[in-house]
Amino acid sequence: MSWFTKVKTPLEIIGGKKQVPAGIWTKCDGCKETVYSNDLERAFNICPNCGFHHRLSSAKRIELLIDEGTFVEFDADLVTKDPLKFKDSKKYKDRVAAAQKKTGMKDSVLSGTGLLFGRPVSIAAQEFGFMGGSMGTVAGEKLVRTIERGGENKTPVIIVSCSGGARMQEGILSLMQMAKTASALGELAEKKLPFISILTDPTSGGVTASYAMLGDIIIAEPDALICFAGPRVIEQTIKETLPPGFQRSEFLLEHGFLDMVIRREQLKETISSILDYMAPMDSVDIAKTSDAGNDAPLNTGEENNLE
Ligand SMILES: [Zn+2]
């Protein structure tokens, strides 16, 4: 089974005569050149020709960010109960079963703990291959547990988003995950532990509208689509042509939505340096003492405005 969606893309053969087995080559979405799938895979799906960032599976994401052999997965067996017994053209239950077979995962989040250059972190990555990385009750619960694990172990929390948003097949229960994850992050903030939010292509809908935009530091990969409603929906609604690069990382950075846009190969080093500033390695004790001695609630100012 392959973790990579792109390697399954049938090859477009230039000249069109020779039959090459599908999967050896991948057509780059950036430069439209064909590249060796192996080269792409080795480079964590960054095109060796043009640097385009193809989607990365949750497992490769963990491999990219976490020191080898240190990742411990948690909550791998959580499965949706299909609370609405939902059915559209297919039963939700069958869609889930197909996604499980395709990805080898029980739901759309891979979560656990590990070391990032020797520093313990609690981490979760969304799997786009599992129903578009959509967030239902299981994904929400796994993300909350990831955040709470950070709180319990006094470690930073990192979440890598890659999602089409809430899982429609779980209706309102999906939307409730927005409040649930946001609330868990509020508790993490009270413990003065950092949350680094990594936004990858695509980050949208209820994910953008909740935890993904609540990072103490929000980092996006280049050219990632980050939005609530997609550009097509907006264009149809307002009946105007959108500016070039609209809702892409660089555009959002320019407009103050992001803290930085970082290339995939520099992500681990960047997160590590940020954490060195935000939570020096000996800060476990500092966090404990400051929590114990400070009963005053965090004043964000925003809350006051709402009241
Ligand atoms: Zn390319």
Side-chain angles (χ1 to χ4, degrees):
M1 181 196 68
S2 168
W3 284 103
F4 302 94
T5 49
K6 290 295 175 189
V7 294
K8 289 178 181 167
T9 311
L11 176 72
E12 273 186 34
I13 303 158
I14 300 157
K17 280 180 188 167
K18 269 189 189 170
Q19 283 296 314
V20 180
I24 290 182
W25 297 89
T26 300
K27 188 176 178 188
C28 173
D29 291 337
C31 61
K32 312 293 176 201
E33 294 286 317
T34 44
V35 292
Y36 271 120
S37 297
N38 280 347
D39 289 350
L40 200 59
E41 199 171 317
R42 264 196 296 275
F44 288 97
N45 282 8
I46 302 170
C47 173
N49 286 335
C50 70
F52 183 83
H53 286 43
H54 295 88
R55 245 165 240 159
L56 198 61
S57 71
S58 52
K60 289 296 277 185
R61 188 61 71 175
I62 298 293
E63 194 186 318
L64 175 78
L65 296 178
I66 296 298
D67 300 346
E68 200 181 341
T70 65
F71 181 67
V72 180
E73 187 178 359
F74 281 81
D75 311 316
D77 291 328
L78 290 185
V79 185
T80 178
K81 286 189 162 171
D82 185 10
L84 305 180
K85 306 285 172 247
F86 191 88
K87 190 181 171 215
D88 46 68
S89 59
K90 268 191 204 167
K91 282 184 182 167
Y92 173 42
K93 213 172 59 179
D94 295 340
R95 285 188 193 276
V96 170
Q100 287 174 339
K101 198 173 164 201
K102 179 177 148 201
T103 59
M105 296 169 69
K106 292 278 180 8
D107 212 288
S108 61
V109 169
L110 175 61
S111 59
T113 58
L115 301 179
L116 190 150
F117 288 133
R119 170 199 290 276
V121 295
S122 183
I123 186 166
Q126 287 179 309
E127 175 55 58
F128 195 80
F130 196 110
M131 297 184 73
S134 54
M135 175 167 67
T137 47
V138 170
E141 179 64 20
K142 288 181 86 163
L143 292 170
V144 165
R145 290 189 190 185
T146 302
I147 297 162
E148 287 178 347
R149 210 169 286 124
E152 281 156 26
N153 300 338
K154 304 268 182 218
T155 64
V157 173
I158 300 165
I159 297 179
V160 185
S161 297
C162 185
S163 171
R167 189 172 294 172
M168 291 179 291
Q169 291 88 345
E170 291 188 21
I172 190 73
L173 295 165
S174 270
L175 296 185
M176 283 165 64
Q177 306 312 311
M178 294 166 64
K180 187 168 145 172
T181 48
S183 151
L185 284 172
E187 285 179 26
L188 189 76
E190 279 175 23
K191 291 180 179 160
K192 300 181 173 62
L193 291 162
F195 165 46
I196 311 282
S197 182
I198 314 288
L199 314 183
T200 71
D201 183 67
T203 296
S204 63
V207 168
T208 309
S210 61
Y211 60 86
M213 283 297 181
L214 292 175
D216 295 309
I217 300 287
I218 305 175
I219 304 173
E221 287 193 333
D223 201 35
L225 177 69
I226 299 159
C227 59
F228 181 64
R232 229 173 311 155
V233 174
I234 296 178
E235 216 156 38
Q236 282 164 10
T237 309
I238 64 171
K239 299 192 173 26
E240 273 183 43
T241 310
L242 298 169
F246 183 68
Q247 293 179 320
R248 295 281 164 181
S249 307
E250 295 72 13
F251 185 93
L252 294 176
L253 178 70
E254 213 173 290
H255 291 81
F257 283 83
L258 307 174
D259 293 303
M260 44 182 95
V261 176
I262 298 288
R263 293 183 57 79
R264 190 172 288 164
E265 63 267 36
Q266 293 154 357
L267 212 46
K268 187 172 178 181
E269 280 80 4
T270 306
I271 296 172
S272 178
S273 339
I274 290 169
L275 291 178
D276 284 344
Y277 283 112
M278 293 179 82
M281 285 288 251
D282 57 354
S283 72
V284 175
D285 291 325
I286 295 167
K288 263 185 201 162
T289 46
S290 65
D291 260 358
N294 183 10
D295 293 326
L298 286 178
N299 184 355
T300 62
E302 271 178 26
E303 283 171 3
N304 289 342
N305 290 341
L306 290 171
E307 276 166 11

